[in-house]
Every structure is written in C-alpha cells, then in structure tokens.
C-alpha cells in the first residue's frame, strides 16, 4: 500500500468551506431536540394534574441581558469586518459579562422557585415544575459551549488574531450566540404560556 | 510490554493508519467490521431464542456454552429470554443496520462518488466511529451485569424502563442501555452532519444534483432523517433518565409495584411512545434507504441499462423521507388514540405506498429486457426488490388502523418488519459488500460461493419469516417466552419448529459469506480498476488506496452516472467522459 502513486499529497486539513454549514446543520439538530422536549410539555399539559404557576421576574432580566449581549457581539463583529480592531475587544468583553449576567439571573430565578416550594424532582414536584427546570438547565448547558467559544473569540481578539480578512471564528461563534438568545426567548415565551394554562 | 513497545517503533504509522485514521476509506472498513461483528452477535441471539420457541423447555448444550447462568440446565430463563429479544432488536436495528450500514457505505462512497478528497471533516468522522465503538462496548458489557441486560424490548417503553425495580433487566442493564444509546445517537448525529455537508459542499466540478448517483441521494436523505429524528429520541431518553434516577414523573402515573402505590403522578407512558416513534419510524427508513440506493446502482449497472425514471427515483426518496415524519402514530393505534387521529395516520401511512410503488416499478422496468449479469450483488439486489414488495404489502394491512388492531403485537408484525426492513436492509448490505469489495480491498470475492450464499439466504429467510404471518393471524403474540402453555396455539407447534430449523440453516449459511469475505481479502483474485464496467467515479481511482483518492486532479463530471448502452455510443460511458460532438445529455 505504499503510495508512490500519490502525486497529490493529501493533508487532512479541515475543510474551511464546510465549517459554516456544519454549524447550521448542528443547529437544526438542537432545534429538533428542543422541539421534542417542548412538544412533550404540550402533551403532558393535557393531563388533569398539570399545575400552573408564575415564572420569576428575574427571567425578564436575563432575557434583557441576553438580547443586549447579542447586540454587543454583533457590533463587535461588524467592527472587525471593517478592520476597526480596538472597539471589538471591549464589545466582546461586555458580551462575555452579559453572558454571565444571564446565567446569574437564571440561577436567581430557579432559586426563587425553589424557595417557593416549586421543585424539580421528588414527590413534591409536578411534571410542570420538572419541565421548567429541565428546559432552563438544558438551555444553560448549551449556553456553556457558547460561553467557551465566546471566551476563545475574546482572547484571540485581545491577541489581535482577527482582522477584516480573518473573522470566520467570530462569525461561527456569533451565529451560535444569536441562536441561543432566540432559543431562550422561545423557551421563555413557551413556558409562560404553558405554565399559565 | 516490551514486545508491544518495539512493535510500535517498527510500525510508526500503525495507530494513525489503522486505529485513529481520518481517511474515509479506512473508517468505512472500521464501521463495517464493528457493525458486522455486532450483527453476528445479534443473529446468534435470535437463533438461541428461536431454539426456545421451536422446542419450548428443551435443553440445549449450546445454551449452556454461550449463555451460562442465563440458561441454567440448558434452558433459557424466562426473564433472560426477554433480555435476548431486546438486545437482538437493539443490535440489529441500530448497531448493525444503522451504524454498520450507513457507516460503511456512506463513508466509502460519498467522497468517492461525488469526487471529493475526503469527508468535510476527517476528524469528526474519526470521532463518530470511536464514539460508536465505545457505545458497542457499553452495550455488550450490559449483557454481563447483575440482573441482565435491558429487557423491555428494543422500544424500551416505560414503566418497565423507567423504574429500576420493575423487572431484573430494568436495573443496571437498562442504565447501560441508555448510556450506550446516548453515545450511539451522538456518533450517528455527528456522522450525519458530516455526510450532509460533504455532499452539499464538496462535489467535484460538474457534479450537479441531477448527476448524482442514486446511492448518494439515498445517503443524503438518510443523513437528513438522522439529523431530524435522533435528537428527538435523545430528548425522550433524557426524560427517561430523569424519571429513573432523579425522581421526576414525566412518564409515570398511578404506578403500583407489589401492591404498593408509588408517589409518581402526572406523567404518561404514552408520551414516551410518541417521542420514541417520532424517531422510530424515520429510523426504519434510515435502515432501508441506503439499501435502496445501493440497489438502484447495482440494478442499473448489472442490467447494463440506465436506471428507469431517475428523477422519479429522486422524488420518491424525498417523498418517503418527508412522509416518514408524519406516520409515527401507526405504531400506536391501540393506545386509545382518537379514531379520527387514527384515520389521519392511516392516510399518511398509506400515502407512503405511492413512492414505494414507484421505486419498485422503476426497478422492474430497469431489469426488463436488460442484459442481466447475475452477480451475487445483483442477486441480492433482486432479493431486496422481492422483500420490499412482500413486506410492503403487509405494511398496507398494518397501516390501516381497523386491520392493525386485530394483529397488533402478534407474529404478523414480526413477520412484516423482518421482511420489509430486516431482510431488505440486510440484502442491500450484502449486495453492497459483494459489489464494492473490489473497491475496498482490491480483490474480488468468489462468485460461486456468493451465488450459493444468496440462494441459501433467500430461501431460509422466507422460510423463517413467511410462516410468521400465519402465526400472527392466528393470534400468537410476540415477545412471549413460550407458546406451549396455551392450548389454542398447539396446532402451531410444527410450524414453530419449521421456522426454527430454517433459522438455524440461515445462520449456518452465513458462514459461507464470512469465509468468502475473509478468504478473498487475503487470497482473492486481484481486482481490475473497474471490474463491473461501471460509470461512477469511484472506479476511476487507483486500486491501491491513497489519501486524497485521486493521484492527480479530481475528475470533472460531464454526464449522469447511467449511460449504459446509450444508442449510438459505447457500451458504457463513465461520468468523467465529456460529451461527444452532437451528443445530447441523457437527463
Ligand atoms: C436469522 C435472522 C433473524 C431471526 C431468526 C430473527 C428472529 C426474531 C424473533 C423470533 C424475534 C422475536 C419476536 C418476538 O418475540 O417479539 C425477533 C425480534 C426482533 N428482530 Fe429479529 N430475527 C432475525 C434478524 C433480524 C434482523 C436482520 C433485524 C433487523 C431489522 C431484526 C430486528 C428485530 C427486531 C427490531 C425485533 C423486535 C425486538 C423486540 O420485540 O423488542 N431481526 N427477531
Ligand atoms: Cu412506522
């Protein structure tokens, strides 16, 4: 199998062209994952034992945080594309801070529920409260990877690794981040409706 | 330790070449060996429990040897019978015919047939294989744990799967089943991502969508089905894990164990069925479509005729893929479903008959008056067409709610799905192996042994599964440990024996294939570059595998892959041959 045939010397470089579509199709599978879970909520909510309760206010704060974070991230990206490299550093750092703010408010919200006696598991829990915890925690689980990639983007930006001809990494991270924001807003709206039915 | 160390030094590249390879051709072989090994284990299980069904309560030495404590005194224990059926189903559907089949042929053929140097991401491809490998190991380990492997059927319906204390297999065995399947889903998802992106982005110049071989079309739709349906199974499995381990009640309500009421309220096991079958039905097409693609390719090449109705073939693959998402309810007609909803699912299900019939019609029309070469690959392809018809017809019966209610959960269902999904997919797999063996190993498989293998397989396969329809019509239920305790089934003792005898012969017959396969790898006749005079691009690569597939430039594509016996031109014209002056493209 020794290949004196191989005039073309193939290197296993990951194909750049393929990275964006890989991300998009990955997002499709995440959408299907949450579609599965939220349709489960709908099916369960038809049960006579479905309990309703109000969602904590802090979910509004976290929603605002994640919306602003999407804006700062987007702005940073546009500046990089225009080769303005200073502002993005600040914007990416703000995005990171806003990301953590989001997680903080989510945590606050869930602890508030817990103090109200609305539990995720155990015999005092109900299916509706379990779903609430499962969905929010799974969203944070996905956000965790978003924060890691945002951290990488911020670091690389601080090290001046990006410019107007090299920004694919930011674009990918940004797409995922926007997706997480939209996913949360969807979940928030969906839960609000289902938990008050 | 010393020996391995020096070994390592001599073959510096062994690990990167054979183990952690990122070359799609090597990964295809890895999937094939692993998937087929799992398949072999799955088939052995079926033969063992067929012994019990054919001769209930009889002692068999082989049980002692292979099952040990699962079959004390040579008779399979009742709870272990369920474990065997469950593992058999799981292994055949997921490990052999999802990962083994797609993993082998999507990996081998996608880059080669679309004219790409490799997959979009060699790394993800490698990762996909190794996660699959680990999931196989976990599944096999679960056979050995206390209480035995998962026993609630390959569909793992709660509450048996949701309460560790429900039956012996609901404990650690079930937990490992879930872990293994979570890994499996991950592997399958990232594999599918890679296939889709490769097909969409890395086609060579001229390889438009209407010049793609039908294999690639079917692999593409298969991968799309995977990306859309496996995440839903993952969500179902996740909720199940919460119910099992963290005390939630998504799938549980009003449960009593040993007369004791459990404090679990508000959930519903039917919810699980919905989520499961939303994956489950597309899954049967994930199993089937690659085989249909393989068959399209082989039927055309071996009849030396263009495939009939190429665009209709593409259309039906897409239609089958699309429809497969709105039919899941046909598995749930007896769950107390609203009859109106039942009617809707009946209609959507029966609609699938249309694209399926189109495919069959096109296969037959392609064969019609062809110069048919009955290679083993062609025989198995024709075998697939046969099982696709015979199994599809019973599908019409089961798809109709009013009829299904009478035979639900009987051997009629077992006969149906084994023929239409099991046999079709297995025949497609065999066809693919015989056809592309020269591409994989640079050697030819033995033709005569291939023919014998085919005839034994098709006769015994029908011998096993055809009589099951009669058992089912008579009311014999599936997943029962024995039929001898019910006087009303006494008339079927002989039939059950006959089925089991066919199963044993079928199993023994597969050794012909295994022998042929292994012998040919080492001692087979050397293959020429294009042994079947085929038009697709994989046969333009050198027989010896190289990284990047083509030594020079990637060939450019000028025509569809089915120019066989084009009037006025050569007997076959590969895709990379430019159109002659005045030649009109065939599609
Ligand atoms: C020699 C070949 C095979 C034989 C003799 C065989 C036999 C059987 C039998 C007797 C059952 C048990 C039915 C019951 O009690 O419900 C069964 C179940 C099953 N088999 Fe096979 N089978 C074979 C090959 C396959 C193949 C190729 C597939 C791939 C699709 C397959 C998939 C299944 C599934 C999904 C189940 C259902 C398991 C469950 O009920 O949870 N089998 N098989
Ligand atoms: Cu189905």
């Amino acid at each position: 199998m020794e290949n004196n045939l191989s005039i073309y010397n193939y290197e296993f470089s990951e194909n750049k062209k393929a990275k964006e579509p890989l991300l998009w199709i990955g997002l499709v599978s995440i959408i299907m994952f949450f579609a599965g879970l939220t349709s489960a909520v709908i099916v369960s909510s038809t049960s006579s034992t479905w309990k309703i309760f109000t969602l904590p206010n802090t979910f509004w704060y976290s929603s605002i945080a994640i919306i602003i974070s999407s804006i700062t991230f987007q702005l940073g990206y546009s500046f990089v594309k225009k080769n303005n490299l200073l502002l993005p550093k600040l914007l990416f750092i703000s995005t990171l801070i806003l990301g953590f703010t989001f997680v903080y408010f989510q945590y606050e919200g869930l602890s508030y529920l817990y103090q109200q006696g609305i539990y995720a598991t155990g015999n005092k829990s109900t299916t509706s409260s379990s779903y609430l915890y499962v969905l929010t925690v799974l969203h944070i689980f996905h956000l965790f990877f978003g924060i890691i990639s945002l951290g990488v983007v911020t670091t690389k930006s601080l090290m001046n690794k990006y410019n107007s001809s090299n920004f694919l990494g930011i674009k990918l991270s940004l797409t995922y981040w926007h997706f997480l924001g939209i996913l949360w807003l969807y979940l928030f709206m969906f839960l609000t409706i289902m938990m008050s039915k | 330790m010393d020996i391995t160390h020096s070994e390592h030094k001599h073959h510096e590249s062994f690990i990167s070449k054979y183990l952690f390879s990122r070359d799609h051709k090597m990964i295809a072989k890895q999937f094939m060996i692993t998937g087929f090994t799992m398949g072999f284990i799955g088939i052995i299980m079926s033969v063992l429990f067929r012994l019990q069904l054919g001769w209930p309560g009889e002692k068999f030495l082989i049980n002692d040897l292979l099952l040990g404590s699962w079959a004390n005194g040579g008779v399979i224990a009742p709870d272990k019978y369920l474990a065997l059926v469950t593992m058999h189903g799981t292994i055949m559907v997921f490990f052999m015919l999802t990962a083994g089949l797609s993993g082998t042929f999507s990996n081998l053929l996608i880059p080669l047939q679309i004219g790409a140097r490799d997959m979009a991401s060699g790394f993800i491809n490698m990762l996909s294989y190794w996660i699959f490998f680990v999931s196989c190991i976990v599944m096999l380990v679960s056979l050995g744990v206390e209480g035995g492997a998962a026993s609630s059927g390959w569909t793992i319906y709660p509450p048996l799967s949701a309460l560790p204390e429900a039956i012996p297999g609901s404990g650690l065995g079930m937990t490992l089943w879930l872990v293994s399947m979570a890994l499996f889903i991950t592997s399958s998802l990232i594999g599918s991502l890679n296939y889709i992106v490769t097909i969409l982005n890395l086609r060579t110049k001229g390889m438009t969508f209407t010049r793609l071989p039908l294999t690639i079309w079917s692999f593409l739709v298969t991968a799309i089905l995977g990306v859309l349906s496996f995440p839903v199974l993952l969500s179902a499995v996740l909720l199940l894990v919460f119910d099992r381990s963290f005390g939630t009640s998504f799938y549980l309500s009003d449960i009593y164990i040993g007369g004791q009421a459990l404090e679990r309220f508000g959930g519903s096991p039917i919810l699980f069925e919905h989520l499961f079958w939303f994956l489950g039905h597309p899954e049967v097409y994930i199993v089937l479509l690659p085989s249909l693609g393989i068959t399209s390719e082989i039927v055309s090449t071996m009849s030396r005729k263009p495939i009939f109705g190429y665009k209709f073939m593409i259309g039906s693959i897409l239609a089958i893929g699309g429809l497969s998402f709105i039919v899941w309810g046909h598995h749930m007609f007896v769950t107390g479903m609203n009859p109106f909803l039942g009617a809707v699912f009946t209609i959507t299900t029966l609609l699938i008959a249309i694209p399926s019939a189109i495919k069959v019609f096109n296969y037959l029309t392609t064969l019609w008056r062809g110069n048919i070469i009955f290679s083993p690959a062609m025989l198995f392809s024709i075998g697939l067409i046969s099982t696709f018809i015979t199994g599809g017809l019973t599908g019409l019966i089961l798809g109709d709610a009013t009829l299904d209610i009478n035979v639900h959960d009987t051997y009629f269902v077992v006969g149906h799905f084994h023929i239409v999904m099991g046999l079709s997919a297995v025949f497609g797999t065999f066809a693919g192996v015989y056809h592309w063996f020269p591409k994989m190993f640079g050697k030819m498989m033995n033709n005569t042994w291939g023919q014998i293998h085919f005839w034994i397989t098709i006769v015994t396969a029908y011998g096993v599964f055809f009589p099951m329809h009669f058992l089912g019509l008579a009311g014999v239920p599936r997943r029962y440990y024995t039929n001898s305790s019910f006087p009303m089934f006494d008339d079927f003792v002989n039939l059950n024996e006959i089925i089991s005898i066919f199963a044993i012969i079928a199993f023994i017959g597969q050794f012909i294939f295994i022998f042929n396969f292994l012998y040919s790898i080492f001692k087979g006749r050397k293959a020429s570059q294009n042994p079947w005079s085929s038009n697709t691009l994989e046969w333009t690569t050198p027989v010896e595998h190289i990284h990047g597939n083509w030594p020079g430039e990637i060939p450019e594509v000028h025509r569809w892959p089915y120019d066989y016996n084009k009037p006025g031109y050569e007997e076959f014209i590969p895709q990379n041959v430019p159109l002659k002056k005045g030649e009109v493209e065939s599609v």
Side-chain angles (χ1 to χ4, degrees):
Chain A
M1 294 236 187
E2 285 323 314
N3 41 18
N4 40 13
L5 281 162
S6 86
I7 304 162
Y8 178 91
N9 206 343
Y10 185 71
E11 281 297 320
F12 283 104
S13 56
E14 301 299 307
N15 207 304
K16 272 219 165 120
K17 198 163 74 163
K19 283 196 173 158
E20 250 193 293
L22 268 177
L23 175 67
W24 278 102
I25 301 168
L27 294 186
V28 169
S29 68
I30 301 180
I31 290 175
M32 288 309 294
F33 178 71
F34 280 93
L37 289 168
T38 46
S39 38
V41 176
I42 296 175
V43 174
S44 298
S45 73
T46 56
S47 152
S48 57
T49 55
W50 186 255
K51 287 233 167 52
I52 61 170
F53 47 84
T54 37
L55 298 182
N57 279 334
T58 43
F59 281 3
W60 285 103
Y61 308 147
S62 55
S63 303
I64 293 168
I66 206 161
I67 293 174
I68 302 178
S69 76
S70 258
I71 299 172
T72 51
F73 204 162
Q74 179 74 41
L75 281 176
Y77 171 68
S78 334
F79 281 124
V80 171
K81 280 212 293 195
K82 290 184 199 132
N83 232 359
N84 178 342
L85 301 181
L86 183 64
L87 272 177
K89 292 176 185 156
L90 296 173
L91 286 164
F92 293 150
I93 293 173
S94 335
T95 312
L96 206 52
I97 295 172
L98 285 162
F100 283 117
T101 314
F102 173 83
V103 177
Y104 170 75
F105 280 127
Q106 294 295 83
Y107 173 77
E108 281 291 297
L110 293 182
S111 345
Y112 172 79
L113 286 176
Y114 190 80
Q115 282 152 20
Q116 303 290 306
I118 296 170
Y119 299 127
T121 69
N123 47 26
K124 291 212 188 93
S125 71
T126 63
T127 36
S128 53
S129 58
S130 304
Y131 275 123
L132 180 67
Y133 282 91
V134 166
L135 286 172
T136 38
V137 170
L138 282 175
H139 176 260
I140 291 180
F141 175 77
H142 285 85
L143 192 91
F144 175 73
F145 295 98
I147 288 186
I148 291 180
S149 85
L150 181 54
V152 173
V153 166
T154 313
T155 318
K156 279 187 152 182
S157 156
L158 289 173
M159 292 160 66
N160 291 321
K161 290 271 170 73
Y162 295 118
N163 53 51
S164 59
S165 56
N166 174 17
F167 52 79
L168 180 65
I170 313 180
K171 194 175 177 196
L172 296 175
S173 179
L174 175 72
T175 310
Y176 187 57
W177 194 260
H178 283 332
F179 170 77
L180 290 167
I182 295 168
L183 179 62
W184 166 249
L185 294 180
Y186 161 70
L187 289 176
F188 186 29
M189 217 170 62
F190 177 81
L191 287 171
T192 310
I193 296 170
M194 297 313 293
M195 297 305 161
S196 57
K197 228 168 81 147
Chain B
M1 279 312 277
D2 267 332
I3 297 167
T4 43
H5 192 75
S6 61
E7 278 279 322
H8 184 74
K9 265 193 177 159
H10 284 295
H11 308 275
E12 206 82 67
S13 64
F14 179 84
I15 289 187
S16 66
K17 184 168 175 186
Y18 293 105
L19 281 182
F20 296 109
S21 171
R22 286 188 277 170
D23 188 317
H24 70 102
K25 302 181 290 295
M26 181 55 72
I27 296 177
K29 289 185 199 173
Q30 293 175 325
F31 267 110
M32 180 162 79
I33 302 296
T34 317
F36 285 14
T37 307
M38 290 301 277
F40 188 69
I41 296 171
I43 296 273
I44 290 181
M45 291 176 172
S46 72
V47 175
L48 292 181
F49 61 69
R50 249 343 300 180
L51 289 179
Q52 160 66 18
L53 291 174
W55 301 274
E58 201 113 332
K59 296 185 173 118
F60 290 97
L61 184 61
I62 185 109
N63 284 338
D64 270 331
L65 293 177
L66 291 180
L67 295 174
S69 65
W70 283 27
N72 267 331
V75 184
I76 302 176
D79 57 328
K80 299 306 181 269
Y81 171 89
L82 289 178
L84 282 177
V85 172
T86 302
M87 294 305 273
H88 161 77
T90 306
I91 288 176
M92 296 315 286
V93 173
F94 292 113
F95 291 79
M96 157 94 187
L97 293 175
T98 302
L101 176 54
S102 274
T104 304
F105 291 105
S106 294
N107 261 315
L108 177 71
L109 294 178
I110 289 176
L112 287 173
Q113 289 195 332
I114 67 171
R117 300 267 180 215
D118 206 301
M119 283 289 175
S121 169
F123 177 73
I124 292 185
N125 209 13
M126 174 184 84
L127 207 61
S128 165
Y129 170 73
W130 281 104
I131 296 177
F132 165 61
F133 184 80
V134 176
S135 83
C136 289
I137 299 295
V138 176
M139 195 54 88
L140 293 180
V141 165
S142 85
L143 289 168
V145 300
E146 210 191 317
S151 310
S152 47
W154 81 281
T155 50
I156 57 156
Y157 285 174
L160 290 188
S161 56
L163 296 167
E165 62 273 36
I167 47 172
S170 304
L172 188 54
M174 190 67 227
T175 304
L176 290 178
W177 193 100
L178 292 168
V179 171
S180 166
M181 277 312 290
L183 290 169
F184 181 93
I185 293 170
T186 313
S187 146
S188 174
L189 268 176
I190 61 177
S192 301
L193 285 180
N194 218 354
Y195 302 151
I196 298 174
V197 173
T198 307
I199 296 174
L200 294 185
N201 285 277
L202 302 183
R203 280 164 293 125
T204 182
K205 198 157 172 242
M207 184 60 92
T208 57
F209 277 99
T210 46
R211 286 180 186 160
L212 276 184
L214 288 170
T215 35
I216 302 300
W217 267 107
S218 69
F219 297 154
L220 175 64
V221 175
T222 303
I224 294 175
L225 293 187
V227 165
L228 293 178
S229 63
F230 270 116
V232 179
L233 179 65
L234 192 61
S235 69
V237 162
L238 204 71
L239 295 182
L240 190 57
V241 169
F242 286 128
D243 272 8
R244 288 174 63 77
S245 310
F246 304 114
T248 55
S249 317
F250 295 115
Y251 302 132
L252 296 168
S253 201
D254 305 313
I255 299 276
Y256 296 81
I257 285 195
Q260 289 278 323
L262 300 188
E263 296 224 29
R264 304 287 193 100
F265 304 104
S268 159
I270 307 284
L271 169 63
F272 181 85
E273 296 192 25
H274 279 296
L275 293 174
F276 180 87
W277 285 112
F278 187 84
L279 157 96
H281 192 88
E283 169 63 23
V284 309
Y285 287 102
I286 291 174
V287 164
L288 190 57
L289 282 177
S291 285
L292 292 178
I294 288 170
T295 296
S296 308
E297 206 55 34
I298 294 173
V299 161
S300 171
T301 309
M302 293 306 184
S303 315
R304 315 306 298 161
K305 273 180 66 187
I307 191 88
F308 185 86
Y310 172 73
K311 287 195 173 157
F312 278 96
M313 288 304 236
I314 298 174
S316 10
I317 296 174
L318 290 170
I320 291 177
L323 285 171
S324 73
F325 282 101
I326 51 171
V327 299
W328 79 91
H330 62 216
H331 298 276
M332 300 171 60
F333 286 141
V334 297
T335 55
M337 174 185 276
N338 180 329
F340 176 75
L341 196 57
V344 172
F345 279 121
T346 298
I347 291 170
T348 54
T349 302
L350 297 188
L351 278 179
I352 292 198
I354 298 171
S356 309
I358 292 176
K359 288 195 81 76
V360 167
F361 177 81
N362 288 353
Y363 287 138
L364 296 179
T365 318
T366 307
L367 289 169
W368 182 251
R369 300 209 163 162
N371 299 324
I372 299 180
I373 301 160
F374 288 104
S375 69
M378 181 61 153
L379 288 173
F380 274 106
S381 298
I382 297 173
L384 178 152
I385 300 170
S386 144
T387 52
F388 193 48
I389 297 173
T390 48
L393 287 175
T394 51
L396 294 177
I397 295 172
L398 294 172
D400 186 330
T402 47
L403 297 174
D404 174 71
I405 288 169
N406 303 282
V407 285
H408 180 83
D409 253 343
T410 67
Y411 264 86
F412 192 86
V413 178
V414 179
H416 157 72
F417 74 71
H418 275 96
I419 290 185
V420 77
M421 159 169 85
L423 294 186
S424 301
V426 168
F427 286 3
T429 310
F430 280 136
V433 173
Y434 281 111
H435 194 76
W436 280 287
F437 191 87
K439 192 72 258 166
M440 292 188 112
F441 297 101
K443 302 280 178 61
M444 305 298 285
M445 282 181 84
N446 181 298
N447 186 43
T448 317
W449 286 112
Q451 310 261 350
I452 297 172
H453 172 226
F454 168 74
W455 286 110
I456 292 184
T457 305
I458 188 138
V459 171
T460 53
Y462 271 118
V464 169
F465 297 115
F466 189 66
M468 286 190 186
H469 296 94
F470 299 110
L471 294 179
L473 288 173
V476 179
R478 66 187 284 207
R479 292 180 180 162
Y480 269 34
Y481 170 61
T482 173
N483 305 314
S484 58
S485 323
F486 310 95
M488 61 179 178
F489 300 138
D490 281 352
D491 288 347
F492 300 107
V493 173
N494 291 339
L495 199 52
N496 267 318
E497 273 181 30
I498 291 170
I499 292 178
S500 295
I501 291 169
F502 272 121
I504 295 165
I505 303 173
F507 175 69
I508 294 171
Q510 300 319 304
F511 283 94
I512 299 174
F513 171 76
I514 297 174
F515 175 76
N516 193 352
F517 185 90
L518 294 176
Y519 182 87
S520 305
I521 289 182
F522 298 106
K523 296 267 170 70
R525 194 157 48 82
K526 270 224 154 23
S528 59
Q529 194 185 11
N530 189 355
W532 317 118
S533 302
S534 173
N535 288 338
T536 36
L537 288 185
E538 74 272 28
W539 306 107
T540 62
T541 62
V543 178
E544 307 259 287
H545 288 180
I546 55 170
H547 282 333
N549 296 338
W550 285 270
E553 292 289 303
I554 300 181
E556 197 179 312
V557 164
H558 302 278
R559 57 180 75 239
W560 75 331
Y562 301 108
D563 273 338
Y564 295 106
N565 281 312
K566 189 172 182 176
Y569 294 90
E570 286 90 346
E571 208 265 335
F572 70 102
I573 320 175
Q575 285 191 275
N576 57 335
V577 176
L579 293 180
K580 298 237 167 60
K581 234 192 169 149
E583 185 182 352
V584 187
E585 236 194 298
S586 310
V587 267

